[in-house]
Amino acid sequence: MARRVVLEFSGGAELLFNKTKKHEVTLPKSEKEWTIGSLLPWMRDTMLQERPELFMQGNTVRPGILVLINDSDWELMGELEYPIKDNDRIVFISTLHGG
């Protein structure tokens, strides 16, 4: 089933995604339910412009990237297992800073 979601990036994460803070995307139809765990590799393969190692580590986001689902910490929502719903707003905030 296709899902429409809003993906937002800040704290520098937007630099990896075409320097764009807000993306309204329609996820392609899938036999399996879309979860954050299936969204992340899709984002890496279709949206990420450069340096995927700065966004993902293994099958999840790098430490230091805060993920909010509809303004709630994804750790409270089931992290990678969270089933994506139509019109979800998923925000990725980098807390990593060079020095």
Side-chain angles (χ1 to χ4, degrees), residues 2-99:
R3 297 275 185 225
R4 289 185 316 256
V5 296
V6 175
L7 304 174
E8 294 185 23
F9 304 92
S10 64
E14 69 277 7
L15 299 174
L16 302 173
F17 292 88
N18 202 29
K19 299 181 177 80
T20 305
K21 288 185 176 268
K22 185 175 182 179
H23 298 258
E24 295 182 21
V25 299
T26 300
L27 301 173
K29 290 185 180 181
S30 173
E31 291 182 13
K32 293 184 178 181
E33 182 175 47
W34 277 99
T35 63
I36 298 293
S38 56
L39 173 69
L40 291 174
W42 180 84
M43 290 171 57
R44 178 194 61 219
D45 296 343
T46 60
M47 297 178 64
L48 195 56
Q49 297 291 309
E50 58 184 78
R51 306 197 56 192
E53 70 277 6
L54 294 179
F55 182 69
M56 289 187 68
Q57 184 173 15
N59 67 342
T60 191
V61 293
R62 281 184 60 92
I65 295 181
L66 177 64
V67 182
L68 302 175
I69 302 169
N70 301 322
D71 296 322
S72 295
D73 189 324
W74 77 321
E75 292 179 4
L76 303 173
M77 309 293 284
E79 295 184 3
L80 296 173
E81 304 302 317
Y82 173 79
I84 294 174
K85 299 169 192 64
D86 250 354
N87 301 311
D88 273 349
R89 182 172 157 259
I90 304 165
V91 180
F92 300 88
I93 303 170
S94 176
T95 61
L96 304 173
H97 300 284

